[in-house]
Amino acid sequence: MLSVVRVHLPTDIPIVGCELSAYVLLRRGDSSLSPEDVTEASSTDGYFLQCRWYRLQSEQTILVCCVHPAEPATLQCMQCMKAKLPQSKSLHCTQKCFTDSWRRHVIMHQEAIDKRENGFEEEDSSYVFNSNPAKTHQSLDGGLGSGAMRGVNHTNGSIFSSPVLMASHNQNQESGDVWCEVGQGKTYTPTTEDVGHILKIECVVIDGSMGRPAESPHQRQTSRVIPAPSPTPRRLMTVNSVDGMGLVETDGRTASFGTFTVLSYNVLSDLYATSEQYSYCPPWALAWTYRRQNLLREIVAYRADILCLQEVQSDHYEDFYAVELEKHGYTGVYKKKTGEVYTGSVYVIDGCATFFRRDRFSLVKKYEVEFNKAAQSLSEALIPTTKKAALSRLLKDNVALIVVLEARDTGRPMDSQAVSGKRGQLLCVANTHIHANQELKDVKLWQVHTLLKGLEKIAASADIPMLVAGDFNSVPGSAPHCLLSTGRVDPAHPDLQVDPLNILRPASKLCHSLPLASAYASFGKMNGMNTTVEKLRLRMDSTTSEPQFTNCTRDFLGTLDYIFYTGDSLSVESLLELLDEDSLRKDTGLPSPEWSSDHIALLAEFRCKPRMRR
């Protein structure tokens, strides 16, 4: 005999595109408990488990905010309606929500005009749902009566519409409601057709010999399905002229002739995305099933030629990032940290993953940097009494991943000196994640110095452009940042006071010969005095010429991530605009339903400088 003991769903709030996987605990004939599935093909004494998913077809119209889909919509952008945009993109929960999103609306309105001029009409996957066919095409205004609407002229020229009919959160089946089957098995991925509806899973043991249930079904219901939030698009800004700014889109490349783009992004490993750490983020938005889809949408939308990702969990690299990004034309290499954590089922850890577009680059060589091995070598020169303390302080499992790539001949050579029949332009890309503990300033600096010395060796053997990207866990002006950006560390720098192992002395050795510069410091070179440029400058630190922040949580705001490049061989053409703090603080901090990491992505477009022939 087989029986269902318990059915559990990982979240009460299902999101479009995010798989729901039910946990079903079964009691077998020998009284043992097991979550293992028992299908008809693997039945136990003729009994097997049957799971079906249902959607509640309700008579009630459901309106939800396009930015905060867990909130009911109260306002609509009338300019979106005039532009014939999908109604789903025009709904907002509050006036502030709409105001914060106005720039995105302006972009959507212009895109809609451009698409219509090209003969393309966008279909409406509206977030208004009704089971009555006679009402499915009812507009937001329709059926509410002349006194049910109010219009408020907004300073940006748009008009809000506020319907009186709000979404109901009553999950009980009402008169006329019908449960329609939408899937079978323990897992189900909600679609746009499910938005606004309640889902239910029904699990029951079937007696195969009789072909009917052997017990009463176990059921679990969700709240109403919500669409995935739509973050405000970030524009790619040209460094020397605001006239060349463009919107990063998924349906067209933004890199101009002869250039390439590089993304650096700490994607927040699921190991660390806990409610204890990020209590302000809704649990459903922290769930990996949601974040993985949101992160993938964001990363793919940037269409970067090279991706430098940090905090990529080892199992997620294999079963998600590598698989999904391969579908979008990327090939990847991975280096996980040298320690692992037991999650209750498997040992995993995060690491660095570097992906590149197969149509633009091929892999020539890969180097893996394990700072633990460097620490072991360093400790060998110490006396035995000091060796143990040194290893305890330096062994932190951090790594770096270095790849040498060769540009493919795509008709757009990166090097203007490229000659047909000769090897394509080579490029060295280092991707790293430096230790996080702010108390261990000496360890951070030692790791960065170790990486740079390794890159110097590569540079000595091959005169090629270099990029050093990643999460350095070091703020602008810190010793690691100074070493990277200026090639040296002032002996009087306060960070050097923390050196219990004497590994930073003499300070004169803390130098390197690579002509590195920070890509985002190029924002200071932007011309013009218009509003756009001024807003960008407000997001930069005037003292260090770095972004004001790349990491934004409830308890921290600062810059930890950088893209450095060799200024003698590369020039910065464009940069992905930075986010402003106010837009993120509406959700307290990152991660949030819109942005699924506690870091923001950095992206730079580079051009290879002509090199003198030797």
Side-chain angles (χ1 to χ4, degrees):
M1 180 64 179
L2 192 68
S3 62
V4 176
V5 177
R6 183 169 68 253
V7 178
H8 172 73
L9 291 175
T11 179
D12 291 331
I13 304 178
I15 305 103
V16 170
C18 297
E19 182 183 84
L20 283 172
S21 183
Y23 174 86
V24 183
L25 186 64
L26 299 173
R27 177 176 284 111
R28 297 176 179 268
D30 59 0
S31 297
S32 63
L33 300 177
S34 173
E36 296 297 323
D37 200 3
V38 179
T39 64
E40 186 172 4
S42 60
S43 61
T44 300
D45 298 327
Y47 294 89
F48 61 91
L49 177 67
Q50 182 184 84
C51 297
R52 297 181 185 272
W53 291 86
Y54 299 90
R55 177 175 64 222
L56 179 61
Q57 297 295 120
S58 175
E59 291 281 348
Q60 180 121 32
T61 300
I62 305 298
L63 305 172
V64 295
C65 175
C66 67
V67 177
H68 306 99
E71 300 296 327
T74 62
L75 309 168
Q76 182 177 23
C77 173
M78 303 308 289
Q79 295 292 346
C80 286
M81 293 183 69
K82 293 178 181 178
K84 297 183 179 180
L85 285 168
Q87 188 184 59
S88 57
K89 297 182 178 181
S90 67
L91 303 175
H92 290 272
C93 54
T94 65
Q95 183 167 330
K96 185 179 185 304
C97 175
F98 176 82
T99 303
D100 291 342
S101 303
W102 176 243
R103 191 185 72 197
R104 178 169 65 88
H105 279 274
V106 172
I107 294 170
M108 289 194 304
H109 301 160
Q110 185 58 51
E111 286 180 336
I113 294 172
D114 294 342
K115 287 178 179 178
R116 283 204 306 275
E117 289 178 351
N118 293 325
F120 176 80
E121 291 289 341
E122 189 170 1
E123 294 183 0
D124 190 349
S125 57
S126 178
Y127 298 165
V128 179
F129 291 82
N130 198 298
S131 61
N132 187 334
K135 299 179 182 178
T136 53
H137 300 290
Q138 179 177 315
S139 71
L140 183 63
D141 299 355
L144 296 179
S146 59
M149 304 298 296
R150 62 182 175 86
V152 180
N153 289 324
H154 193 260
T155 55
N156 55 30
S158 182
I159 297 179
F160 288 124
S161 296
S162 178
V164 294
L165 187 60
M166 291 289 97
S168 170
H169 296 284
N170 180 10
Q171 294 188 4
N172 295 322
Q173 183 172 344
E174 301 174 5
S175 176
D177 291 338
V178 177
W179 289 101
C180 297
E181 184 176 334
V182 292
Q184 297 182 7
K186 288 184 178 180
T187 62
Y188 176 69
T189 302
T191 68
T192 54
E193 294 181 357
D194 298 318
V195 174
H197 295 283
I198 296 168
L199 298 178
K200 175 179 70 174
I201 184 173
E202 185 177 274
C203 302
V204 63
V205 172
I206 301 296
D207 181 347
S209 62
M210 303 293 290
R212 62 188 184 189
E215 61 176 5
S216 299
H218 285 63
Q219 301 176 347
R220 286 292 180 272
Q221 290 185 19
T222 69
S223 58
R224 298 186 186 278
V225 178
I226 63 174
S230 301
T232 301
R234 296 171 64 186
R235 293 169 292 183
L236 194 64
M237 312 289 291
T238 55
V239 168
N240 295 314
S241 171
V242 296
D243 296 332
M245 72 176 69
L247 176 66
V248 176
E249 298 178 338
T250 59
D251 57 352
R253 294 200 53 78
T254 54
S256 59
F257 181 85
T259 66
F260 65 96
T261 51
V262 178
L263 175 83
S264 183
Y265 196 6
N266 180 324
V267 294
L268 181 59
S269 171
D270 189 45
L271 283 170
Y272 315 128
T274 64
S275 293
E276 291 76 19
Q277 182 69 26
Y278 305 105
S279 57
Y280 51 84
C281 184
W284 62 265
L286 272 180
W288 174 240
T289 51
Y290 171 74
R291 291 202 309 115
R292 67 183 181 184
Q293 298 299 333
N294 209 32
L295 287 167
L296 181 64
R297 277 192 294 267
E298 181 187 359
I299 292 170
V300 170
Y302 294 133
R303 290 191 59 81
D305 296 307
I306 301 169
L307 309 174
C308 294
L309 307 181
Q310 304 87 44
E311 280 197 27
V312 175
Q313 198 162 297
S314 52
D315 54 336
H316 294 163
Y317 173 79
E318 294 291 342
D319 61 28
F320 180 70
Y321 286 105
V323 174
E324 295 300 323
L325 288 173
E326 195 276 337
K327 298 175 184 176
H328 293 275
Y330 290 96
T331 295
V333 291
Y334 181 67
K335 176 59 181 175
K336 67 179 181 180
K337 290 181 180 177
T338 46
E340 291 185 315
V341 177
Y342 186 61
T343 63
S345 57
V346 293
Y347 284 93
V348 297
I349 195 61
D350 64 291
C352 296
T354 300
F355 292 89
F356 52 90
R357 296 188 66 87
R358 294 189 299 274
D359 61 344
R360 296 223 62 193
F361 294 98
S362 60
L363 179 65
V364 175
K365 198 161 187 179
K366 177 182 74 169
Y367 302 90
E368 296 181 349
V369 180
E370 295 183 2
F371 295 114
N372 277 5
K373 288 185 177 180
Q376 295 279 2
S377 299
L378 177 65
S379 67
E380 293 299 327
L382 303 176
I383 60 176
T385 55
T386 309
K387 181 177 179 179
K388 185 176 181 180
L391 290 177
S392 175
R393 190 170 183 87
L394 295 177
L395 294 180
K396 300 304 177 188
D397 298 321
N398 297 88
V399 297
L401 179 61
I402 304 171
V403 296
V404 176
L405 303 176
E406 180 181 1
R408 293 187 182 277
D409 182 8
T410 61
R412 329 187 290 168
M414 294 198 307
D415 190 339
S416 60
Q417 298 277 340
V419 179
S420 177
K422 292 190 176 182
R423 189 166 197 172
Q425 173 68 54
L426 296 179
L427 177 69
C428 180
V429 182
N431 177 13
T432 191
H433 189 184
I434 299 302
H435 188 59
N437 190 331
Q438 297 301 318
E439 300 299 321
L440 301 180
K441 299 182 186 300
D442 55 324
V443 177
K444 293 175 184 289
L445 182 55
W446 172 77
Q447 288 183 348
V448 170
H449 184 251
T450 300
L451 173 61
L452 291 171
K453 287 302 174 183
L455 290 173
E456 276 188 325
K457 293 179 181 179
I458 297 175
S461 63
D463 183 19
I464 58 177
M466 285 191 167
L467 294 165
V468 188
D471 177 359
F472 293 85
N473 273 309
S474 303
V475 298
S478 64
H481 178 264
C482 290
L483 180 60
L484 284 157
S485 58
T486 67
R488 60 184 293 274
V489 180
D490 190 317
H493 197 289
D495 284 2
L496 299 185
Q497 296 178 11
V498 181
D499 186 21
L501 301 175
N502 293 323
I503 59 175
L504 304 180
R505 298 186 178 93
S508 58
K509 75 175 184 179
L510 298 174
C511 62
H512 67 87
S513 59
L514 302 174
L516 295 178
S518 174
Y520 269 78
S522 301
F523 259 144
K525 303 175 184 177
M526 292 187 68
N527 299 323
M529 296 296 292
N530 61 30
T531 304
T532 301
V533 174
E534 288 306 309
K535 283 183 178 180
L536 288 173
R537 286 175 178 161
L538 288 175
R539 299 172 190 175
M540 302 293 293
D541 187 312
S542 59
T543 304
T544 63
S545 297
E546 295 286 4
Q548 287 192 345
F549 68 89
T550 62
N551 179 260
C552 177
T553 66
R554 178 180 55 197
D555 305 315
F556 179 81
L557 183 77
T559 293
L560 304 175
D561 309 85
Y562 307 91
I563 300 175
F564 292 96
Y565 67 100
T566 46
D568 64 336
S569 55
L570 296 170
S571 62
V572 179
E573 296 287 301
S574 305
L575 294 164
L576 187 66
E577 69 175 328
L578 299 166
L579 298 174
D580 66 281
E581 182 183 359
D582 289 343
S583 68
L584 303 180
R585 288 302 185 194
K586 69 179 184 294
D587 294 307
T588 302
L590 300 176
S592 68
E594 292 178 69
W595 307 99
S596 288
S597 175
D598 53 345
H599 292 248
I600 65 171
L602 300 180
L603 184 145
E605 180 186 16
F606 294 97
R607 183 184 298 276
C608 285
K609 292 181 177 179
R611 307 300 294 272
M612 296 295 294
R613 293 186 181 275
R614 295 181 178 180

